[in-house]
Amino acid sequence: MKKSLSILFLTCALLSFGQVDTNAVNNTTDKIDDSIKSSGTTIGGGLDFNYAKAEKYILGPIRIEGADNFDPQAIKLIAGLKQGEGITIPSDRISNAIKNLWNEGLFSHIAIEAEKEVAGVIYLVIKLTPRPKLSRFRFTGVSKREVDKIREEIDLSSGQTITENLLFKTKSKIRGYFLEKGFNNAQITITQIQDTLINNSEIFFIDIDKGKKVKIKHIIFDGATAVRPWKLRKAMKDTKRRSIMRVFKRSKFNQTAYIRDKEAVLDKFRAVGLRDVQFTVDSVYKINSRNIGIYLKVDEGQKYYFGDISWIGNTKFSSGVLDTVLGIKYGDIYDKPLLEQRLKQSPDGRDITSLYMDRGYLFFHLEPVETGVKDNHINYEMRLVEGKEARVKNVIIKGNYKTNEHVIRREIRTKPGDLFSRNDIIRTQRELAQLGYFNEQGFQVNPIPNPQDGTVDIEYIVEEKSADQIELSGGYGAGRIIGTLGLTFSNFSVKNIFKPNSWSPLPTGDGQRLSIRAQTNGRIYQGYNFSFTEPWLGGKKPNSFTFFLNHTSFAASTTIKKRDPSYSGVGITGMGVGLGRRKKFPDDYFSAYYELSYQYYDVRNYSSLFPSFNDGYANDISLKYALQRNSINSPIYPTEGSKLSFTAKGTLPYSLMDGKKDFSNMSAQETFKYLEYYKLKFTFEYYLPLTPDKKLVLMPRIGFGYMGAYNAAKGLTPFERFNLGGSGLSGVNQFGGREIIALRGYDDNALSSDGGDPIVAKYTMELRYPISLNPQATFFVLAFAEAGNTYTNFKTFNPFNVKRSVGAGVRIFLPMFGMLGLDYGWGFDKLDKHSSGYGGSIDQSIDSKGYFPKFTFTIGMNLGEL
């Protein structure tokens, strides 16, 4: 008896399983063997064929069995068999048909049999057993939260065809998920149960036994002498051993991170000249069910040094200039990472690539080539291709659906026709971030070179975010709660007010700033502010114009009305205009601001707030000049840069211009009818990243303020003095005509004399770390140490005689509300005086240890800071 076609066909099907794992192949082979046994070894009808001699037939009708839910015509089309065409038996036509059907992954058993042969026409039957479908799946052994996470990792859904590959992939992805979490011994079992409700369907019961989390107990560097082991372990960012110092940090093993961390360890050796360093033994071993160890045998090799460095192809800069920028001399310890940094991308911009690209050489290319090693000195030949200078051709802006293009374009420093400059691109990103209209993490800059004409198009892609804010400031001090409600529209447009189509919900897009702010304590205190700023007055230069109005009233009693002769309170009304301009000298991070303002003070029977001016009115006509340098890289969470500010404010010296007067015989009303003073302030803050990822940031800040009088006989004005302590939420001249400055850990105004002091000093140190930099909810924590004090005159001034505090806090930035802050501070210096505060007595609470625990809550940016 000749062998049937079924054996040949099923053998081809078996070979097609080379794409899946071994277990899958074995299982499928068993199914095919069972199929052969069940279908017999002869072709249906007992037909015999002579396999030693191929014969030609005509394909007759092809019948499909076992695939009722599939389209028969589609199956025939996939198989590649068509009625009426010629076919040779034996040939590869039948085996290819089976392979084609197997490749669909829909069937667990495939057989093609010859049913009968009539006058050279052969009738075939394609017998199929469809694979079951997945109806649903369930998890056991893990929490609901973990189930939700696992569902995101795997690719399971109802209706999928169940294959061995699907089972294998599902197990692998679940196991990989738990490996990332440190569960190296996770066991996954998938039980397939027939679904009695749906024909040819199965339910997956996925049982997960995570086991215990496996941690790294030891990391041993054997043979490491040039670099201390603790430095090597520190270089491994994601592969950390368990330690009592790392209670809240992870210690787990991840293979991908381990490979990356080993390379970081080798870079530590290469940085001290050990170019040939390698690991001769790399072992990750099991200590017990919960701990593993890592053993690395280090072959340090010989120490190398930099030899001669020559430059080839440089015409723009001399070799001496390039040597200076490179900063590497003959005999320096060989440091490959440092060499690559100085050639291509140094954090401070001191590298050869930046030198060229900042001067238009976009097509610049540099290839360092080792030319030889002599006496452990490595010689280099720096081969440069400078290329042509590239000029900016087009500047393309995308992603701005709300902000008008001219607002973005005026901040861009890469103008068409200018030489290409990478530094200008980086600076443009900073300037656009400072606007506050865009997601800083969503910026994209795509230079598009045009080698044909030596130009480059620069595409800026921005991502709009909400720039308008509802400001809610709250604070507690002197036994009172003060609340603030403010609306700030940071991207306002005046010219679109009368265009209904531009209201969404307000006219926006021109970068103007409109702010309306109200503070209140009920009937005791009320304050109102309105301001408008046009950042580009005239639209051609970054010269800003500001106009503002304010009114403040403060009453000592809620029951006595203003018309009553015994009423006690203060009213302050003011207005002003300001002009700002960016400066180019000493550098273009500087800006200047000029302001002319008028304040009218109306004091009624309020000696507790202003001891030297308890009744009357005063006029304050002042001019302010502020010089600021701001180079921080982000307004919300700065990681580098600094802010420096000098402010001078003063009035005319009326008493010196009006001749000699005897102020000793004048009333307070006559003396202070027109205020005269001068006021100087200086602040500086610096942002220093402490980690390579620039997340952990140290921020020191210092500030000094002084208020002086032109005429000693007239004395110091009772207004505009400094008050220190508490949250400082009130800001300048918004609470009783005084400048309120924060010092956490103490009550509001607790460190100043009644009515305020003319001299203030404050020092701050903050350590910040971000939890989330999502622009929709930026969240970071901080620890702080602060010190400060106010002084009545220069005789008592001592910058080291300060009141100190420490504490911790959190900051949350929400685009709609601005910066929310909550601090808990401890002031641990006893007060040497009591203050009248905001019109009442303040008793600083002192516990048995002499500390002053104090919560400070603010909503707003940099409120009350000196």
Side-chain angles (χ1 to χ4, degrees):
M1 179 73 66
K2 304 279 195 310
K3 292 184 178 180
S4 72
L5 285 175
S6 298
I7 298 177
L8 175 63
F9 300 162
L10 294 175
T11 302
C12 294
L14 177 62
L15 294 176
S16 70
F17 263 76
Q19 297 178 353
V20 300
D21 59 284
T22 305
N23 293 331
V25 171
N26 292 336
N27 293 336
T28 305
T29 304
D30 294 340
K31 292 180 181 179
I32 294 174
D33 290 342
D34 294 340
S35 175
I36 293 174
K37 294 175 182 178
S38 63
S39 62
T41 58
T42 63
I43 297 178
L47 299 180
D48 291 338
F49 294 90
N50 183 2
Y51 282 86
K53 180 181 179 182
E55 297 185 16
K56 293 184 178 180
Y57 299 90
I58 300 297
L59 274 176
I62 301 172
R63 189 163 55 86
I64 310 297
E65 288 186 2
D68 297 336
N69 294 326
F70 295 90
D71 183 1
Q73 296 303 321
I75 293 176
K76 296 175 186 178
L77 184 64
I78 294 171
L81 299 176
K82 185 177 180 182
Q83 181 179 344
E85 64 182 3
I87 187 170
T88 301
I89 298 178
S91 70
D92 59 359
R93 287 286 304 281
I94 302 299
S95 61
N96 288 338
I98 293 178
K99 288 180 182 180
N100 293 339
L101 292 171
W102 272 118
N103 290 338
E104 294 299 311
L106 301 174
F107 309 104
S108 60
H109 177 262
I110 302 172
I112 299 179
E113 298 181 357
E115 188 173 30
K116 60 183 177 178
E117 184 264 331
V118 178
V121 177
I122 191 165
Y123 294 76
L124 299 182
V125 180
I126 301 178
K127 296 183 177 181
L128 304 171
T129 302
R131 290 184 183 272
K133 302 284 186 179
L134 175 65
S135 61
R136 58 189 184 273
F137 55 95
R138 297 175 182 174
F139 293 91
T140 58
V142 290
S143 66
K144 183 179 182 303
R145 182 175 178 274
E146 289 175 316
V147 167
D148 293 339
K149 295 290 185 181
I150 295 171
R151 287 179 184 273
E152 297 176 3
E153 296 289 329
I154 61 179
D155 298 324
L156 287 184
S157 60
S158 297
Q160 279 184 287
T161 300
I162 299 174
T163 65
E164 288 78 6
N165 195 39
L166 180 67
L167 293 167
F168 177 77
K169 285 171 58 178
T170 300
K171 289 182 179 180
S172 297
K173 288 187 176 182
I174 296 175
R175 187 176 293 108
Y177 171 81
F178 284 104
L179 281 174
E180 288 288 334
K181 302 296 180 183
F183 296 94
N184 292 50
N185 299 321
Q187 298 295 322
I188 296 91
T189 303
I190 300 180
T191 304
Q192 299 170 244
I193 305 296
Q194 184 176 359
D195 191 340
T196 58
L197 300 178
I198 303 176
N199 185 39
N200 196 36
S201 296
E202 293 182 353
I203 303 171
F204 278 5
F205 287 91
I206 306 174
D207 181 69
I208 302 173
D209 180 8
K210 297 189 298 184
K212 295 180 179 180
K213 184 173 286 189
V214 176
K215 297 186 177 182
I216 303 170
K217 187 173 184 179
H218 303 300
I219 301 178
I220 300 172
F221 298 97
D222 187 9
T225 59
V227 183
R228 294 182 180 275
W230 69 267
K231 290 185 177 181
L232 300 176
R233 284 190 286 266
K234 185 179 179 181
M236 304 180 82
K237 300 299 181 184
D238 298 304
T239 308
K240 299 291 186 181
R241 63 179 182 175
R242 58 186 305 182
S243 167
I244 59 174
M245 301 299 292
R246 295 178 50 83
V247 177
F248 302 106
K249 295 185 179 181
R250 63 185 182 179
S251 172
K252 62 183 182 181
F253 181 81
N254 177 272
Q255 184 66 34
T256 302
Y258 178 56
I259 295 172
R260 182 174 60 249
D261 286 341
K262 285 192 297 181
E263 190 63 26
V265 169
L266 293 176
D267 282 340
K268 285 291 182 181
F269 287 101
R270 293 168 184 146
V272 293
L274 303 173
R275 185 184 68 163
D276 300 333
V277 63
Q278 60 179 331
F279 296 123
T280 56
V281 178
D282 177 1
S283 173
V284 179
Y285 57 94
K286 182 178 180 180
I287 298 175
N288 51 47
S289 61
R290 298 200 61 181
N291 294 281
I292 62 173
I294 296 175
Y295 175 83
L296 294 168
K297 176 70 173 179
V298 182
D299 180 6
E300 294 182 340
Q302 301 182 41
K303 179 169 286 192
Y304 291 84
Y305 304 87
F306 282 110
D308 294 324
I309 298 177
S310 59
W311 303 87
I312 296 178
N314 54 306
T315 59
K316 177 68 176 178
F317 302 101
S318 67
S319 297
V321 171
L322 298 179
D323 285 336
T324 301
V325 173
L326 187 65
I328 296 176
K329 304 184 298 295
Y330 181 91
D332 287 351
I333 293 176
Y334 181 76
D335 185 346
K336 184 65 176 295
L338 176 64
L339 176 64
E340 293 177 351
Q341 186 183 90
R342 294 285 178 84
L343 290 176
K344 297 181 180 179
Q345 192 168 8
S346 177
D348 57 2
R350 181 191 171 186
D351 59 84
I352 303 299
T353 301
S354 294
L355 180 68
Y356 274 91
M357 287 199 170
D358 287 344
R359 288 158 178 80
Y361 290 90
L362 175 63
F363 307 107
F364 164 83
H365 178 72
L366 170 62
E367 185 69 31
V369 178
E370 291 186 15
T371 58
V373 180
K374 184 178 181 181
D375 298 330
N376 285 11
H377 284 67
I378 302 174
N379 300 322
Y380 269 97
E381 187 177 86
M382 305 297 178
R383 299 175 182 175
L384 289 80
V385 178
E386 294 178 335
K388 295 172 60 178
E389 289 181 326
R391 293 191 175 273
V392 178
K393 185 176 182 180
N394 299 307
V395 175
I396 304 165
I397 300 171
K398 294 183 178 180
N400 56 314
Y401 63 88
K402 182 168 64 174
T403 304
N404 292 328
E405 185 168 305
H406 74 271
V407 174
I408 302 173
R409 202 169 284 277
R410 68 193 184 189
E411 300 292 344
I412 293 177
R413 302 204 169 202
T414 53
K415 306 294 185 182
D418 291 349
L419 286 174
F420 175 84
S421 172
R422 189 171 67 174
N423 183 63
D424 285 345
I425 291 177
I426 295 172
R427 185 64 185 277
T428 295
Q429 287 183 279
R430 177 194 176 274
E431 299 302 327
L432 292 178
Q434 294 293 321
L435 293 177
Y437 312 151
F438 309 112
N439 173 15
E440 299 165 29
Q441 309 301 319
F443 277 129
Q444 294 183 47
V445 184
N446 303 319
I448 306 171
N450 305 308
Q452 298 82 3
D453 58 4
T455 63
V456 57
D457 296 335
I458 302 179
E459 181 182 68
Y460 292 95
I461 301 177
V462 298
E463 182 181 318
E464 296 263 16
K465 70 176 183 179
S466 176
D468 301 329
Q469 295 179 1
I470 298 177
E471 179 189 355
L472 294 172
S473 299
Y476 180 85
R480 300 182 179 92
I481 297 176
I482 301 171
T484 300
L485 173 61
L487 298 175
T488 301
F489 307 105
S490 300
N491 196 3
F492 195 71
S493 175
V494 171
K495 71 178 183 180
N496 289 332
I497 291 178
F498 301 105
K499 298 178 181 179
N501 294 334
S502 65
W503 286 62
S504 59
L506 290 170
T508 60
D510 282 340
Q512 297 160 348
R513 183 180 181 89
L514 179 67
S515 176
I516 304 171
R517 192 167 181 260
Q519 288 184 306
T520 185
N521 179 252
R523 295 184 178 180
I524 292 290
Y525 167 75
Q526 293 182 352
Y528 307 96
N529 294 271
F530 169 84
S531 68
F532 172 79
T533 300
E534 166 57 71
W536 283 67
L537 185 62
K540 295 183 179 181
K541 293 184 179 181
N543 298 328
S544 66
F545 169 78
T546 300
F547 171 75
F548 63 87
L549 296 170
N550 61 68
H551 174 74
T552 302
S553 63
F554 185 86
S557 171
T558 59
T559 59
I560 302 176
K561 298 183 179 180
K562 287 186 178 181
R563 62 176 176 269
D564 194 307
S566 61
Y567 172 80
S568 178
V570 177
I572 306 172
T573 304
M575 63 181 297
V577 293
L579 292 172
R581 60 186 296 265
R582 297 183 191 176
K583 302 179 73 68
K584 295 184 179 180
F585 180 83
D587 61 38
D588 56 5
Y589 287 110
F590 277 90
S591 64
Y593 177 74
Y594 308 86
E595 180 183 286
L596 176 64
S597 64
Y598 170 74
Q599 295 282 340
Y600 177 78
Y601 296 90
D602 183 11
V603 183
R604 302 270 298 278
N605 303 318
Y606 216 136
S607 59
S608 59
L609 189 61
F610 301 111
S612 60
F613 191 87
N614 67 327
D615 193 79
Y617 66 90
N619 299 277
D620 180 2
I621 306 172
S622 62
L623 181 65
K624 181 170 76 173
Y625 170 76
L627 180 66
Q628 185 182 53
R629 186 183 188 274
N630 183 352
S631 63
I632 63 173
N633 63 337
S634 170
I636 306 302
Y637 188 78
T639 58
E640 59 186 2
S642 63
K643 291 175 66 174
L644 181 149
S645 176
F646 171 76
T647 303
K649 181 179 180 181
T651 65
L652 293 175
Y654 303 107
S655 61
L656 300 180
M657 298 164 57
D658 199 19
K660 294 183 178 180
K661 289 185 178 181
D662 186 4
F663 291 101
S664 61
N665 295 324
M666 289 185 180
S667 65
Q669 171 63 73
E670 294 177 302
T671 303
F672 298 114
K673 180 178 180 181
Y674 289 97
L675 301 181
E676 57 178 82
Y677 62 89
Y678 61 92
K679 194 173 183 181
L680 306 174
K681 291 194 298 182
F682 172 81
T683 60
F684 176 74
E685 63 185 52
Y686 183 75
Y687 294 86
L688 177 65
L690 301 181
T691 54
D693 59 6
K694 296 185 179 181
K695 287 188 175 181
L696 184 64
V697 178
L698 181 68
M699 191 281 292
R701 181 194 299 118
I702 61 172
F704 297 97
Y706 171 72
M707 184 179 187
Y710 299 114
N711 192 329
K714 184 174 182 179
L716 195 67
T717 175
F719 307 101
E720 287 275 352
R721 299 185 186 186
F722 300 107
N723 287 81
L724 183 66
S727 64
L729 63 98
S730 298
V732 178
N733 279 337
Q734 294 179 0
F735 201 102
R738 296 170 293 175
E739 183 167 345
I740 311 299
I741 299 171
L743 188 67
R744 291 164 286 189
Y746 296 91
D747 277 320
D748 292 335
N749 196 37
L751 286 82
S752 301
S753 303
D754 297 344
D757 292 315
I759 304 175
V760 64
K762 180 184 171 184
Y763 317 97
T764 301
M765 186 79 74
E766 285 187 358
L767 190 64
R768 302 177 174 185
Y769 188 82
I771 304 301
S772 170
L773 293 177
N774 187 323
Q776 301 305 317
T778 303
F779 175 39
F780 63 91
V781 295
L782 59 89
F784 68 84
E786 279 191 327
N789 209 347
T790 58
Y791 311 89
T792 56
N793 51 55
F794 272 120
K795 291 183 179 180
T796 61
F797 174 68
N798 181 353
F800 303 105
N801 177 21
V802 291
K803 306 303 179 184
R804 300 163 296 170
S805 68
V806 296
V810 298
R811 296 290 183 272
I812 302 175
F813 178 81
L814 301 174
M816 193 63 180
F817 294 97
M819 186 69 77
L820 293 78
L822 178 64
D823 297 308
Y824 189 74
W826 294 265
F828 48 88
D829 284 314
K830 293 183 178 181
L831 303 180
D832 48 18
K833 56 182 176 293
H834 291 292
S835 168
S836 63
Y838 304 126
S841 175
I842 290 180
D843 292 321
Q844 182 78 51
S845 59
I846 305 175
D847 64 16
S848 59
K849 297 180 181 180
Y851 291 89
F852 312 121
K854 187 72 176 176
F855 272 110
T856 303
F857 176 68
T858 58
I859 304 181
M861 292 288 291
N862 298 324
L863 296 177
E865 294 183 349
L866 179 65

